[in-house]
Amino acid sequence: MGWSNSTEYKDPPTISFDGAGDYNHAVQPLPPSAERKPTKSILKPHNVGREQDNGTGNNLKLLPPHHHATFATMLESITQQLAGTDRSSKMDAYLMLSGSLKASDNVPDVKALRQKMELLLSFIERDLKEKHDTGKPDSGLIINSLVLLSSFLHKPIIAEAITTEFSVHFVDHTIKSLEDMQLSKEIVKHYMFVLAQQNFSPKIMNQERVGRLITALHEIEQKMKGKSIVQGRINIYRTLLRQSRNHMLTNTAWIEDLFSDMVSSLRDIRNPAITFGLESSFSLGSESKITRLVLHLFELEPTEGGNFAEHYSARLKAMIKTDQDCSTAVPQIWSVIILFLRGRSRQLEQWMYMKMFLKVIEECFNSSDHPTRAQAHYAWNRFVYALQLDEKTSPGIVKMLCPPLMANLRRPKAKSLRTVTLSSVYNLLYYALKPTSTPPQLDLYWKEFVIPLVSNSMIPANARDASEQTKQNIGHACLILLSLCDHTPPRKWIEARAMENLQQPSMDVKELPPLDSKWLRRSSLLVFQVLAPLLEKLYWDLSGESNITAVWRAYIRSIASPAVMEVKVSNDTMASLASIFSVLYKIWHTGPQNLQSLPASVVPPHKDIPSTSAFLKSFEAILMTTIEELGSLPFTEKLLCIGTQGDTFVAIATPSQRPGKLRGQVKSPLHHLISLLTQVSPGMGYGGKFTRMIHRLLSPFFEARKSSRSRVDLAKDLLELLPSESTEPCRLIWQVFADFASIATDTRDGESSGSLDQPLGLDYRGVVKILETGINLSPNEPLPGWKTLFEALITSATIDAGDGGRAIAVIEPLAKSLLPKVSVTELSPKGLSYLHLLLGKATYAKDRQALDAARKRLWGTGSAGQKVATFDPYVVVYDYCRLSLEAGYASLTRNTLHHCTDTISATKGLLDRCPAPLLMGVLAKVQGGIECWIVDGESKLGGGNVLSQAVSQSDL
């Protein structure tokens, strides 16, 4: 230690060994020596400022450190004092040097100290053996020399300069002293402190010396008692564990001391012993020799009856019932026992006393003391680490790992304890689902751990439970699945992760290892036992950025990643799609009003019609993420079979491989999707939002088709999925198909010119089929988009095959479709709108050659057909016109005047465009319809109304 000759300063002086430093305050002047009286000090007063005889005949002064110009001059003075024979001077010299070293963060003059090191060590070696005249060891001198040696060891740069010869001598001398125990307790404490502090080389701390040292320490309590002695022994054991691990394996007498010290009633012994126990069990517990010794120890039978295991477990149970400090130690001691039994495969599973000690940790879990329960969780984390879980772990052990955690997840508790419980959940999954796990292991532990802990414990079964605790639980469930599915950023798995913090081994959810993408894809039925309930409970959150959105995105990306290297879509990918569609079908048929989901956290809760918007946005989010990541191919090239109940999907390679239990329809996922969307979702309001969602969902599939012809074919194929009955969703879906077909029809590409294999007429026939479907869905009035598609088709046909092509490819086929819809008794005035559109676009080829050329252009040279005498392209159009005129007159009322006026005008327009050679024939075919308006047998046109004026002015 350092000292000063003035005791009246408030701040420590600035010491300089080179003479350049000054004091920060004034030092009180001293009176002359003759007038001064000795002051009390921890050192002898005659050593300060008094001349001494050092045995060499020279008179020297031992001055305080700050009186020396440099550290080297102070060191010289100290060595001279140590070289003398005066005991007090030597004691003061030791204290001055050790105090100076402790007072400085760095060594003031390393070179000077190294030069004197050998000499200083010789003085220490000499004085360690110093005795009084009575023959007893000189405690004061020995202790002061040990204090200086301790100061040397405390500074690594000085410790390196300690010679091997001195280290060997010191260790041997210390071991002999501990064996003989002729020294005082105070000296022994200092010897033990230095031994715990040293870091001598393996050459010095060889097996023979370490063995003797451990034996001496093991027997020390037979000769000397006391808390400080046991503490010193524990500290030496800890040093030897770090320094001489292999020798600790060979000399195992320390194990008995450890187990005895850990259950000490003294906290100052118990706590460091537990720390040493955790360190040693982690470092050596995997060694079979240590495991055998611990097993043997627990089988010993003390003289008072019963074996050591029974006595030890009883002692631990008794400690639980005492004060908090003792009870919190029990789970830690339990951990030490468990960690020591890792040296043999399956040892913990087969240990005969396992049930006995499980009852101990069970009492800790059930303790009313929160710190004890927290320590029980930490112990459980170490237990999971020690088990080294794999698919061969005994079912009994596997079954018991979840219940303690599930019980704590379900009960309300302090936030800090809940954090500890969640950390234990993460720890269990960290080791059960490690990256090296085989598929059977992942299957096993997903069933045994993930489903019970996440699905059964964190996702509420009560649909009305929207408490804050429930929201937090579901949030944690999302984070767990996110970590298990998300491969970014890459995370390193560390086997000893649970032992990185010996006192509080906790873990964060972000440390969980991502599961193998191929396993996630292959095991969709297992995964969706957790994922599906989560999607349903947090359905409203899918419409925006949220935890469940991130989970879904990570899952889809993970199962999509193996597909990058695949030439064709795998059955595993289709199995995942089957699970996804099962969830979608359930949600759609439940509807927005009946969905048992928690209120949205990212947007305000929706009610009535607004809920339709959120419902569709979440539905779209599920599908769009899937389509974007997997691509359109899995939706179109593979098949899914749906069960007769409409809620179970199974992936099949071919229709012949359909499972016997599922006798439902076999279609591609895209076809299943269209079929689902045509079904009415309960409580949902249909309209523009629904149409826009359909458009966005189908856009990737139409964009994947390179030609306009293939896009029209896709629209035509999907239209076949619409049911025959006209429902609102069907009509809205048709509008979307019509929009895509209109764009494709307006687009001119390489295939627009047709070929022998695919004549243009077939292309137009496909679009006409779409228009005909629209007519069937809405026979009384064109649906939105019908007119746009019709006009696009008219324009395209005219460009490709002229007026004749327009007539024979578009107008006439549509008239055939419309004709059966006309009934004199049932025709709605709005139904005349189709007639107006057709007659408004009906034109004629200029001659027969033009009409023949149009047929050849549409159907090819070989399909031109026989030449006919007339070049009139229409037959059914005239019948349709006549019947519509008759029906219009029959259903004429005041409310239908406008529609009938348009009908008369459209008919007149057709006759005006009719070539003169054909006019008489056309009039003959439509005269039945014209006649009823001119004759007006029921006198409906009287009164000079607009319609009567139109008839009179039409020159019909």
Side-chain angles (χ1 to χ4, degrees), residues 226-436:
K227 179 177 70 174
S228 59
I229 297 299
V230 177
Q231 287 176 319
R233 179 176 66 186
I234 294 171
N235 290 333
I236 294 174
Y237 283 157
R238 293 184 68 187
T239 298
L240 293 177
L241 179 65
R242 294 189 296 268
Q243 184 184 44
S244 308
R245 179 184 180 276
N246 292 336
H247 302 331
M248 292 283 280
L249 275 174
T250 305
N251 304 278
T252 56
W254 55 270
I255 292 180
E256 293 183 27
D257 300 331
L258 169 64
F259 279 96
S260 174
D261 295 342
M262 285 195 299
V263 293
S264 171
S265 59
L266 298 176
R267 175 181 179 179
D268 292 340
I269 292 177
R270 182 176 62 249
N271 288 353
I274 291 173
T275 301
F276 170 56
L278 291 171
E279 292 172 347
S280 58
S281 60
F282 170 56
S283 177
L284 304 176
S286 59
E287 301 290 342
S288 58
K289 178 181 179 180
I290 296 296
T291 298
R292 284 198 305 270
L293 286 170
V294 174
L295 290 172
H296 177 70
L297 175 64
F298 277 87
E299 292 171 0
L300 293 177
E301 297 186 0
T303 55
E304 59 268 22
N307 58 30
F308 185 78
E310 294 170 348
H311 283 280
Y312 212 76
S313 64
R315 171 63 178 150
L316 293 178
K317 289 181 179 180
M319 290 174 65
I320 297 174
K321 296 178 175 62
T322 56
D323 57 70
Q324 183 185 95
D325 189 63
C326 280
S327 63
T328 55
V330 173
Q332 300 178 68
I333 299 170
W334 188 86
S335 297
V336 173
I337 299 171
I338 294 300
L339 291 171
F340 268 128
L341 302 181
R342 294 179 293 127
R344 292 181 180 178
S345 178
R346 314 294 174 201
Q347 180 61 63
L348 285 170
E349 303 170 36
Q350 302 166 4
W351 189 32
M352 60 187 301
Y353 301 116
M354 191 71 241
K355 288 185 179 179
M356 180 189 300
F357 280 90
L358 282 173
K359 291 186 180 297
V360 174
I361 199 66
E362 182 181 351
E363 290 191 21
C364 295
F365 271 115
N366 294 328
S367 171
S368 59
D369 179 59
H370 280 197
T372 301
R373 286 163 63 184
Q375 287 295 336
H377 280 286
Y378 297 144
W380 207 246
N381 295 349
R382 302 181 189 107
F383 181 44
V384 170
Y385 158 73
L387 284 173
Q388 299 178 351
L389 295 168
D390 56 30
E391 67 268 26
K392 296 180 181 179
T393 303
S394 67
I397 290 290
V398 172
K399 293 289 185 184
M400 75 178 188
L401 292 178
C402 265
L405 306 183
M406 292 173 64
N408 281 331
L409 284 174
R410 289 170 178 169
R411 69 173 72 160
K413 60 178 71 65
K415 181 179 179 181
S416 59
L417 190 56
R418 184 164 190 81
T419 301
V420 173
T421 303
L422 288 169
S423 177
S424 293
V425 172
Y426 306 149
N427 182 84
L428 177 59
L429 299 181
Y430 185 87
Y431 285 102
L433 306 175
K434 54 190 174 184
T436 57

Side-chain angles (χ1 to χ4, degrees), residues 102-166:
K102 291 177 182 177
S104 176
D105 292 336
N106 300 312
V107 179
D109 191 339
V110 178
K111 183 177 180 182
L113 189 59
R114 284 181 179 272
Q115 290 174 350
K116 296 290 185 180
M117 182 58 70
E118 189 171 353
L119 181 60
L120 291 170
L121 292 175
S122 68
F123 293 147
I124 294 174
E125 184 176 336
R126 176 200 67 192
D127 291 337
L128 289 177
K129 302 174 184 177
E130 192 67 25
K131 294 183 179 181
H132 291 294
D133 294 340
T134 60
K136 292 184 177 180
D138 188 340
S139 298
L141 194 58
I142 293 174
I143 290 173
N144 282 14
S145 63
L146 288 172
V147 169
L148 178 59
L149 178 58
S150 174
S151 299
F152 287 167
L153 293 171
H154 183 69
K155 306 279 187 182
I157 196 169
I158 303 177
E160 294 173 358
I162 297 177
T163 63
T164 302
E165 292 77 9
F166 172 82

Side-chain angles (χ1 to χ4, degrees), residues 383-599:
F383 181 44
V384 170
Y385 158 73
L387 284 173
Q388 299 178 351
L389 295 168
D390 56 30
E391 67 268 26
K392 296 180 181 179
T393 303
S394 67
I397 290 290
V398 172
K399 293 289 185 184
M400 75 178 188
L401 292 178
C402 265
L405 306 183
M406 292 173 64
N408 281 331
L409 284 174
R410 289 170 178 169
R411 69 173 72 160
K413 60 178 71 65
K415 181 179 179 181
S416 59
L417 190 56
R418 184 164 190 81
T419 301
V420 173
T421 303
L422 288 169
S423 177
S424 293
V425 172
Y426 306 149
N427 182 84
L428 177 59
L429 299 181
Y430 185 87
Y431 285 102
L433 306 175
K434 54 190 174 184
T436 57
S437 299
T438 61
Q441 180 175 339
L442 293 176
D443 290 344
L444 171 65
Y445 293 131
W446 186 275
K447 296 175 186 176
E448 296 293 341
F449 299 153
V450 179
I451 293 176
L453 288 171
V454 180
S455 183
N456 298 344
S457 300
M458 295 185 182
I459 304 175
N462 183 3
R464 299 183 181 275
D465 185 2
S467 64
E468 189 62 30
Q469 185 67 63
T470 296
K471 294 177 181 178
Q472 291 179 7
N473 283 342
I474 290 188
H476 295 311
C478 284
L479 294 177
I480 289 173
L481 286 186
L482 178 60
S483 293
L484 293 177
C485 295
D486 192 2
H487 287 254
T488 57
R491 302 183 287 282
K492 183 179 180 181
W493 190 85
I494 303 172
E495 183 176 1
R497 173 64 185 83
M499 300 301 296
E500 287 185 355
N501 186 330
L502 293 180
Q503 301 303 318
Q504 296 182 349
S506 59
M507 188 173 293
D508 188 82
V509 66
K510 294 181 180 178
E511 297 180 64
L512 290 179
L515 297 177
D516 177 54
S517 296
K518 291 183 178 180
W519 181 86
L520 279 174
R521 190 176 61 167
R522 183 186 310 114
S523 307
S524 58
L525 290 177
L526 285 176
V527 173
F528 270 80
Q529 290 185 46
V530 180
L531 188 54
L534 206 56
L535 288 170
E536 293 171 19
K537 290 297 178 184
L538 297 177
Y539 182 78
W540 300 116
D541 284 350
L542 285 163
S543 60
E545 285 300 323
S546 60
N547 285 339
I548 187 61
T549 304
V551 170
W552 184 248
R553 189 182 299 117
Y555 170 72
I556 296 298
R557 284 178 180 173
S558 183
I559 65 173
S561 60
V564 175
M565 304 301 295
E566 294 175 345
V567 178
K568 61 180 182 178
V569 180
S570 69
N571 289 335
D572 291 339
T573 298
M574 298 309 299
S576 297
L577 267 183
S579 297
I580 293 171
F581 269 73
S582 296
V583 173
L584 292 174
Y585 261 62
K586 181 178 180 181
I587 291 173
W588 189 261
H589 289 133
T590 302
Q593 304 301 325
N594 302 319
L595 204 59
Q596 303 295 332
S597 300
L598 294 177

Side-chain angles (χ1 to χ4, degrees), residues 806-828:
R806 173 199 296 201
I808 60 178
V810 181
I811 304 297
E812 182 71 0
L814 285 176
K816 291 180 181 179
S817 179
L818 287 164
L819 183 61
K821 311 296 182 186
V822 180
S823 170
V824 174
T825 60
E826 298 179 0
L827 182 66
S828 167

Side-chain angles (χ1 to χ4, degrees), residues 770-782:
I770 297 174
L771 290 169
E772 290 173 349
T773 303
I775 294 171
N776 293 332
L777 291 173
S778 181
N780 294 328
E781 182 180 18

